[in-house]
Amino acid sequence: MIPGPIEFEPEVMMAVGMPTTSHVAPDFIESFGHALEMMREVWLAPSGQPFIMAGSGTLAMDMAGANLVEPGDRALVLSTGYFGERYAALLRRYGAEVTVLAAETGNVVSLKAVEEELKRSRYKIMTFTHVDTSTAVRVDPEPLGALGEKYGVITVLDGVCSVAGEVIRQEKWKIDVVLTASQKAVGVPPGLALLVASGRAIEAWQKRKSPVGSYYSDWTHWLSVMKAYEERRPSYFGTPAVNLVSGLEVSLRLILKEGMEPRFRRHRERAEAFREAMKDMGLKMIPVSDEVSANTLSAPFYPEGVRGADFMKAIASSEVILAGGLLPGIKDDYFRVGHMGSVTGGDILTTVAAIRSALAGCGYRRP
Ligand code: PMP
């Protein structure tokens, strides 16, 4: 029950475990092409350009940063935790002049503050973390997409902890890049960086004056490869993660079989049930309200008198695996529970019971 890598469906593991084929074998070309097509449906971006790369979520962040930023460009980063700070550092590496609007821990940056900043300076790009996995804070991407459109700023959503779990309507919400990794709600073992770019993002990359600062991430190499796979033609720049792509095709098929709207609803209902159970035990959460709480993971504070190390030790001997805190400064004050992808109602109940008995073992009694 950690927020990634999650537990994967047996069908996905079967596909990943099949003998490795050539990256230009006809059946693999079919799998890759089909996975790209299904990404558009999962991202709700019917005219977006999907990319599938071998790498982790940070590579997907890198790909957006490297291709869309030129030295001297201004970038606005909305930070709701650890991964916002990572994006700021990444964009600086490519020469961007970065402004960070950091939310108070547990909250989001207000739309008013974002709009004031966009009015104050001309930005090329704005990034935000849909769900920050360090705080379980969820931002509402829709009005941020609208602000990007209004001020002519390219919007980049880090959806590593949200795609295929939280509601994302990339095209309707006019978000230029939605990126993720395979190991969370997409449901494939770690190793794939996934990204869908809008026509506007591709155009911004085409209009660059300077070469892309990363050789590997450069869309010059990858765009034609993605197009070839979709047209079911062999192509090569770097060897794709063949087995993981086969797993991705199966996982996306399962996601679409469930249906995006039922899947969004299921994640919301499981998350609400989990938060209710935590509140019932007298635990407070990092997100300041339900409105800004993620549906893919939760981050409860330890109650007074319970030491994190003792709690994690007690949990280690239960049947569930939880994650500790991540945000510097408060990392020993809270723990994290992932509830995305294949998580069932039964998993939620088992987890709640394990937390309850670990807390009791630490001497906690509900006030
Ligand atoms: N962004 C967010 C919101 C994440 O949760 C993570 C990973 N937990 C990353 C980026 C980086 O992804 P990866 O670890 O796969 O590089």
Side-chain angles (χ1 to χ4, degrees):
M1 298 295 286
I2 67 169
I6 65 159
E7 214 169 287
F8 306 112
E9 296 288 355
E11 293 98 311
V12 172
M13 296 313 290
M14 291 272 286
V16 169
M18 293 299 277
T20 306
T21 63
S22 158
H23 56 291
V24 289
D27 54 348
F28 179 69
I29 292 177
E30 178 56 36
S31 284
F32 202 125
H34 189 209
L36 288 166
E37 286 160 3
M38 287 189 288
M39 277 174 70
R40 287 202 189 85
E41 292 179 60
V42 171
W43 269 242
L44 296 170
S47 56
Q49 174 59 55
F51 291 86
I52 300 173
M53 313 277 300
S56 80
T58 307
L59 180 75
M61 296 170 75
D62 189 76
M63 187 171 251
N67 284 285
L68 297 172
V69 159
E70 292 191 66
D73 282 344
R74 294 190 59 85
L76 182 61
V77 172
L78 310 182
S79 175
T80 39
Y82 184 92
F83 291 101
E85 298 304 322
R86 174 172 296 192
Y87 228 146
L90 188 155
L91 295 170
R92 281 192 197 104
R93 188 65 69 89
Y94 290 115
E97 284 178 35
V98 180
T99 302
V100 178
L101 289 182
E104 276 176 34
T105 303
N107 212 338
V108 297
V109 180
S110 75
L111 284 177
K112 192 163 159 272
V114 177
E115 182 150 19
E116 273 169 15
E117 189 54 41
L118 292 176
K119 266 188 201 154
R120 198 176 0 248
S121 278
R122 207 171 150 64
Y123 285 96
K124 163 106 170 268
I125 184 172
M126 172 166 77
T127 73
F128 45 95
T129 317
H130 194 182
V131 168
D132 199 295
T133 322
S134 68
T135 55
V137 167
R138 176 173 54 88
V139 310
D140 182 0
E142 187 173 7
L144 294 171
L147 281 179
E149 165 97 349
K150 181 170 171 191
Y151 291 92
V153 180
I154 295 168
T155 42
V156 175
L157 180 153
D158 170 353
V160 172
C161 200
S162 69
V163 170
E166 303 284 0
V167 183
I168 300 176
R169 306 183 197 285
Q170 179 174 359
E171 201 147 312
K172 184 159 177 247
W173 293 352
K174 297 187 163 51
I175 297 167
D176 293 299
V177 173
V178 173
L179 61 91
T180 193
S182 50
Q183 74 270 18
K184 302 203 194 220
V186 168
V188 180
L192 291 179
L194 307 168
L195 180 153
V196 176
S198 70
R200 202 164 68 130
I202 298 287
E203 219 172 276
W205 160 73
Q206 282 164 337
K207 283 191 187 147
R208 290 179 67 98
K209 293 188 182 69
S210 56
V212 171
S214 157
Y215 182 75
Y216 186 75
S217 286
D218 192 344
W219 282 342
T220 312
H221 308 307
W222 294 107
L223 185 58
S224 57
V225 173
M226 298 304 137
K227 288 194 163 149
Y229 273 117
E230 257 200 285
E231 289 161 13
R232 309 302 195 260
R233 284 187 288 113
S235 173
Y236 166 76
F237 173 66
T239 309
V242 171
N243 291 55
L244 292 176
V245 174
S246 303
L248 178 67
E249 190 203 4
V250 173
S251 193
L252 293 176
R253 207 183 266 154
L254 292 173
I255 289 168
L256 291 172
K257 190 166 157 216
E258 179 177 14
M260 295 318 295
E261 301 306 323
R263 191 171 173 90
F264 296 148
R265 198 175 326 119
R266 175 168 66 80
H267 278 78
R268 198 186 62 236
E269 286 171 2
R270 300 266 145 89
E272 280 169 1
F274 184 75
R275 286 200 298 271
E276 279 304 310
M278 292 301 102
K279 278 183 209 153
D280 212 48
M281 272 185 232
L283 268 57
K284 292 201 169 60
M285 317 287 261
I286 293 189
V288 295
S289 67
D290 281 340
E291 240 199 332
V292 299
S293 291
N295 296 307
T296 48
L297 89 155
S298 296
F301 283 110
Y302 298 117
E304 251 202 57
V306 171
R307 279 185 55 233
D310 295 338
F311 174 81
M312 289 313 277
K313 201 164 154 212
I315 279 291
S317 60
S318 78
E319 65 268 72
V320 304
I321 302 168
L322 304 182
L326 181 63
L327 193 68
I330 59 165
K331 79 191 239 318
D332 297 325
D333 301 340
Y334 72 103
F335 62 101
R336 295 175 301 147
V337 181
H339 31 73
M340 60 188 126
S342 57
V343 164
T344 64
D347 294 333
I348 297 281
L349 281 177
T350 307
T351 306
V352 170
I355 292 170
R356 183 183 286 269
S357 85
L359 287 174
C362 294
Y364 175 69
R365 297 284 168 273
R366 196 202 181 303

